[in-house]
Amino acid sequence: MATFLSKLGRLAFRRKGVTLLLWLLAFVGMGVAASSAPTPPADTFSMPGTESQEAFDLLTAKFPDASVDGATARVVVRAPEGTKITAPATRTEVERLVTELVASSPQVVGVADPYKSPAVSISEDGTTAYTVVTYKVPAAEVDDEAHDALDAATEQAREAGLTVEAGGDAVRIEQAMGGTGEQIGILVSAFVLVLTFGSMIAAGMPLITALIGVGIGISGITALGSTFGLSGTTSTLAMMIGLAVGIDYALFIVSRFRAERAEGRTPEEAAGRAVGTAGSAVVFAGLTVIVALAGLAVVNIPMLTKMGLAAAGTVAVAVLVAITLVPALLGLAPVKVMARRGRLRYAVKPLSDRQRRRAARHEAKLARRTRPNLGTRWARYVLRHPVTVLLAGVIGLGTVAVPAASLELGLPGEGQMSTQTTQRKAYDLLSESFGPGFNGPLMVTVQTVSAAGTGAADGTTAADGTTAADAGATADARRTGDEIGKALARTPGVASVSPATANEAGDTAILTVVPTTGPTEKKTEELVHALRATADDLERSTASRILVTGQTALFIDFSQTLDDALLPYLALVVGLAFLLLMVVFRSVLVPLKAALGFLLSVAAALGAVVAVFQWGWLADVFGIDAPGPIMSTMPIFMIGVVFGLAMDYEVFLVSRMRESYAHGARPGEAVVDGFRYGGRVVGAAAVIMMSVFSGFIVEDNDFVKMIGFALAIAVLFDAFVVRMAIVPALFALLGRSAWWLPRWLDRILPRVDVEGERLAGTQPAPRSPRESTLVG
């Protein structure tokens, strides 16, 4: 592996013009393909094998005229204080609002008049009413004209003295990402890179190459969107993790190139060794990330599978960019990529007298600097106090992880939006006037087995085309549904059950169940399970198939599906990564420590997320409006992203230790060497990722805050506590045993030579004290 990659790095360095041209053609070609590709399909959400999905499929088949996929907006109107919604003047304004909503946009297919069904649409106290605006297109296809028309109609009603707010998927999202946090993260990343390298050129390379890799990956996803059903949101995870690993991979190779140059190697030799050693680590780190992302397929949710595979493809592009494009760029600036101070000593052109004097002064200054760098000092401290560092790290993370035992999963809803948004205001108005369960109604489908598929028993056909048997079946379906509704209404936690509505074929009926509790409350989840248990008993007595669905039930099933898949997903990614790391490090204990440390950092991060976002600790500091359940997708995504970054840090830090050990260093010396050359770079990579993820915390959406906080603090725990404290402490305690591998296993495992033992001239040049300044 190292030999092949070294040759590849040398080739890219020598043929930099051709390499750059090929990547430029790939970038432009993918951009052209993306721009000319058909519009990506709208988001489709399905969960095969769940009761909610089965019920939705049944509704689509049995109620074809219903706008199942159409967007809706629920407009809530409250009368001025001291008046009723039925007062003549107020009614006139509400009817005017309904008229405006009907004519507001060609995409609107209907608006319900609240005065035609007052028992349903007007609150008991008579102060509040609501109307539902139905669109003929899904939420993703509601255009700006329709959004503007809805906003204008509601604003006109407010000017007339009414309190008007709107919720639903057709309403414009007011909490869209502002991008300020991302810009801050990128600026901080650039600043950290400049401090790390002391060179604008070196700092710019990781950013530029990462953006090129992400651009190619995202363009590829867009170009293939219509072919493979990849929606516009499929690229979200790909962009996040592609940018993260792209910066990391380029950062490590550029850093290794500088280290090889500091040891006296020529630019081409340094490029070859950088790609042969650090590039090998990049390849295997990338494989672990790809395993983690592709492993999302075990969740059996098509949307997550597509997101995971798309992100895995983007990571593969990032690996190729790192081992080919980065050495080509190094070929363009082999001297300017070095730190500005002392750059003259690497100059290939003859120096002037003035330049020689400056170089001599710098060499003399470096010779006086004998103090080891921070990474070296920290490694030596850990070697002297391994038990103290180990206990402090494990106990500290274990304490932070305690709240994770109370983790409750849910999905985002309007009840968790900012209190300044119209969606949240509409949600609160409905909860106050109609009860908390009104925002999360359940839908029950009743399919009469005896009526399904029957035709006319007597062969007669009515004027409207229905047979006598059809009419009887319709009445039977409605009657059966009403009987089931009465039984379900006796379930504790049910506020009301609507009359049954049968389809035209007469074999299926639907009814709405309104809980007494809100959609994200634990009691509502218990009610769904209770209703399904009652439905199982009723199916036998009514000879029908009863399914409980609705958005609330769908969210509950989604959370349960993710919860059930969490342990298999962890076992898959950790198990495969264990095998990969065992091949890389030729050890059993090193990958075991890596996996256990990852689990510890993830548990601690989940504990911090629960404490802040579920329990509400420091809620005011982070601007959290409504502490509540943790977003169901957050643990899975966090595991995938953090696992990839954690294995990056593990591979790059420990591979340098392994390289030193393979070249004859004692175990303690190998740990110090790993931190001398890799500690500062790994620390810089972690700070960059933390700054990028922390940028999301300043956004308005609580769930965006949650993702940013979770990823940032997970990287903090894993990079600085696990990889830089617990791992070296364990190496100090285990000594040579850390690199133990049974002989029979050593014969079976393939040799990939990540350390570059087979490279010509592998023995490093003698290190001088000044290397800590040049390289550390």
Side-chain angles (χ1 to χ4, degrees), residues 291-302 304-305 309 561-562 564-573 576 636:
V291 165
L293 295 171
L296 288 172
V298 305
V299 182
N300 196 29
I301 296 178
L304 294 183
T305 300
L309 294 177
T561 299
L562 289 173
D564 293 341
L566 191 59
L567 288 180
Y569 176 69
L570 268 175
L572 174 67
V573 298
L576 291 179
I636 287 284

Side-chain angles (χ1 to χ4, degrees), residues 669-696:
E669 294 175 343
V671 173
V672 174
D673 282 346
F675 275 85
R676 175 185 294 117
Y677 294 108
R680 183 178 181 184
V681 179
V682 170
V687 171
I688 289 171
M689 292 304 101
M690 288 169 57
S691 65
V692 172
F693 295 142
S694 296
F696 292 104

